[in-house]
C-alpha cells in the first residue's frame, strides 16, 4: 500500500476523475475526504468507496463561503493533510463572443480562485513532514480542438499551469510538492454534458476527430488518471515538483 496512513483531500471527488482518484487512494491505504456541492452524490460516492475512512464535505468551492466551510471542515479534525487534489472544475465551451460575465466568473472562481485559496487556507494543516498538492489542468491549456471554442476554459487551465509552477517554487522550501495532471478528453459526466448538447452531425465529426487524433485510438477513462495521481501523492515522487504531466493517450504529442 503506497499511501498507507496518509490523509487525502479530493475536491470534486463525487464523480468522474476525482472519484476515480479517490478510489485509487483508498485502495492504496489513504483516508480520503471528498468535497462537492451535492450531498447526495457525495454520500453515494462514500458508499461506493465502501470505507469507514471516507469523510465528505458538501461545499460550493466557487464561493468564498464554500472555501471557508471546506477548509474549516478539513482542519476541524486536527489530522494533518498529506495530499490535496484540486480537481473540481467546470468547462464552458462557448464561443468567445458569447461568453457571459457569469460564465467567466463561475469558471475562474472554481477552476482558479478555489484552487488558489483552498491551498492557501490549508497551508497550516499540511503535514509537517511535507505534502503533495495535485492540480487538475487540461490539454486545453495549450492545444485546441476545431469547433470546440475554449477561450474561457483554456484561460482557466493556463492559469492552473502557471499557479502549479509558481507554487512549486514558492512552497518547495516548506516541503510541499506541487504538480499538475493535464488529461486529454476523458469520458466523465463533464464530457458527456458538453457533447450531449451537440447536434448529431457535430457529434459524429467530433468522434471522427478523436479517432484520428489520439494515437492510442480512444479517449480516456477516469481510471486512466488514477495511476499518476497515486504516484504524485506517494513518497516515490519525493523529488518531483513543478511538473505538468500530460496523460492523454498521446494526443498532445502531435
Ligand atoms: N473530462 C475531461 O475530458 C477532462 C479533460 C481535461 C481536464 N479535466 C479536468 O478534470 C477535472 C475533473 O473533471 P471531470 O470531467 O471529472 O468533471 P465532472 O464529471 O464534471 O465532475 C466534477 C466534480 O466537481 C464537483 N464540483 C463541480 N462544481 C463544484 C463546485 N462549485 N464546488 C465544489 N465541487 C464542485 C462535482 O460535484 P457537484 O456537482 O456535486 O458539486 C463533481 O464531483 C476538472 O478540473 C476538469 O477541468 C477534465
Amino acid at each position: 500500500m503506497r499511501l498507507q496512513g496518509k490523509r487525502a483531500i479530493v475536491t470534486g471527488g463525487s464523480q468522474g476523475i476525482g472519484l476515480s482518484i479517490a478510489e485509487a487512494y483508498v485502495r492504496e491505504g489513504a483516508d480520503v475526504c471528498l468535497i462537492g456541492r451535492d450531498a447526495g452524490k457525495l454520500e453515494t460516492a462514500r458508499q461506493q468507496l465502501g470505507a469507514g475512512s471516507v469523510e465528505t464535505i458538501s461545499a460550493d468551492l466557487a464561493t468564498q463561503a464554500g472555501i471557508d466551510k471546506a477548509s474549516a471542515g478539513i482542519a476541524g479534525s486536527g489530522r494533518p493533510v498529506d495530499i490535496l487534489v484540486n480537481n473540481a472544475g467546470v468547462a464552458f465551451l462557448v464561443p468567445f463572443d458569447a461568453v457571459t460575465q457569469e460564465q467567466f466568473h463561475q469558471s475562474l472562481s472554481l477552476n482558479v480562485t478555489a484552487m488558489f485559496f483552498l491551498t492557501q487556507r490549508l497551508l497550516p494543516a499540511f503535514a509537517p513532514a511535507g505534502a503533495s498538492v495535485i492540480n487538475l489542468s487540461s490539454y486545453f491549456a495549450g492545444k485546441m480542438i476545431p469547433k470546440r471554442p475554449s477561450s474561457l476554459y483554456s484561460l482557466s487551465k493556463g492559469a492552473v499551469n502557471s499557479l502549479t509552477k509558481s507554487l512549486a517554487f514558492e512552497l518547495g522550501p516548506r516541503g510541499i510538492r506541487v504538480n499538475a495532471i493535464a488529461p486529454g478528453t476523458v469520458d466523465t459526466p463533464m464530457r458527456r454534458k458538453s457533447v450531449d448538447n451537440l447536434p448529431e452531425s457535430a457529434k459524429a465529426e467530433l468522434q471522427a476527430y478523436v479517432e484520428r487524433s489520439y494515437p492510442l485510438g480512444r479517449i480516456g477513462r477516469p481510471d486512466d488518471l488514477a495511476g499518476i495521481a497515486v504516484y504524485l501523492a506517494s513518497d516515490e515522487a519525493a523529488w518531483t515538483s513543478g511538473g505538468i504531466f500530460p496523460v492523454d493517450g498521446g494526443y498532445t504529442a502531435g
Side-chain angles (χ1 to χ4, degrees):
M1 294 227 192
R2 294 151 79 192
L3 304 177
Q4 187 69 48
K6 293 191 188 282
R7 183 182 184 210
I9 314 298
V10 183
T11 73
S14 59
Q15 67 185 33
I17 292 170
L19 177 57
S20 200
I21 290 173
E23 273 172 342
Y25 284 180
V26 168
R27 269 198 310 275
E28 293 293 343
D31 293 340
V32 173
C33 173
L34 311 176
I35 303 175
R37 289 167 302 181
D38 183 327
K41 274 198 307 196
L42 285 168
E43 181 52 24
T44 305
R46 202 177 68 82
Q47 304 278 348
Q48 189 176 324
L49 297 183
S53 57
V54 179
E55 304 165 66
T56 62
I57 298 174
S58 165
D60 182 351
L61 294 174
T63 66
Q64 185 56 49
I67 295 171
D68 291 346
K69 182 180 177 192
S71 41
I74 293 162
S77 79
R79 265 196 74 190
V81 172
D82 302 283
I83 303 154
L84 169 63
V85 184
N86 286 308
N87 163 78
V90 63
F92 292 109
L93 298 177
V94 178
F96 176 66
D97 53 4
V99 173
T100 64
Q101 291 274 351
E102 195 189 341
Q103 288 166 337
F104 188 94
H105 180 70
Q106 220 183 315
S107 180
L108 273 287
S109 295
L110 184 60
N111 297 6
V112 181
T113 311
M115 181 178 284
F116 191 105
F117 285 105
L118 186 64
T119 307
Q120 185 197 62
R121 290 287 298 274
L122 291 183
L123 284 178
F126 282 144
S132 172
V133 176
I134 300 167
N135 297 329
L136 265 291
S137 178
S138 168
Y139 65 98
F140 262 128
K143 183 156 173 163
M144 314 309 150
I145 295 189
K147 301 192 186 165
R148 298 285 276 162
S150 66
S151 54
L152 179 54
Y153 188 54
S154 293
L155 164 69
S156 72
K157 293 303 185 180
V160 168
N161 289 358
S162 300
L163 181 62
T164 299
K165 285 181 173 292
S166 55
L167 286 188
F169 202 78
E170 201 172 327
L171 301 182
R174 301 190 198 192
I176 300 168
R177 300 183 292 105
V178 187
N179 292 286
I181 301 170
T185 298
V186 181
D187 186 23
T188 66
M190 172 190 276
R191 200 258 172 176
R192 287 194 285 276
K193 199 161 109 191
S194 80
V195 170
D196 285 352
N197 295 334
L198 295 174
E200 285 309 315
S201 61
K203 266 189 220 172
E205 206 177 320
L206 184 61
Q207 183 57 28
Y209 174 80
V210 164
E211 282 166 14
R212 272 199 319 274
S213 311
Y214 279 73
L216 290 178
R218 64 168 176 86
I219 63 166
R221 297 182 295 262
D223 64 0
D224 285 319
L225 284 309
I228 190 158
V230 168
Y231 168 71
L232 290 173
S234 76
D235 296 341
E236 294 160 41
W239 207 50
T240 302
S241 194
I244 315 286
F245 295 92
V247 180
D248 60 11
Y251 176 59
T252 54

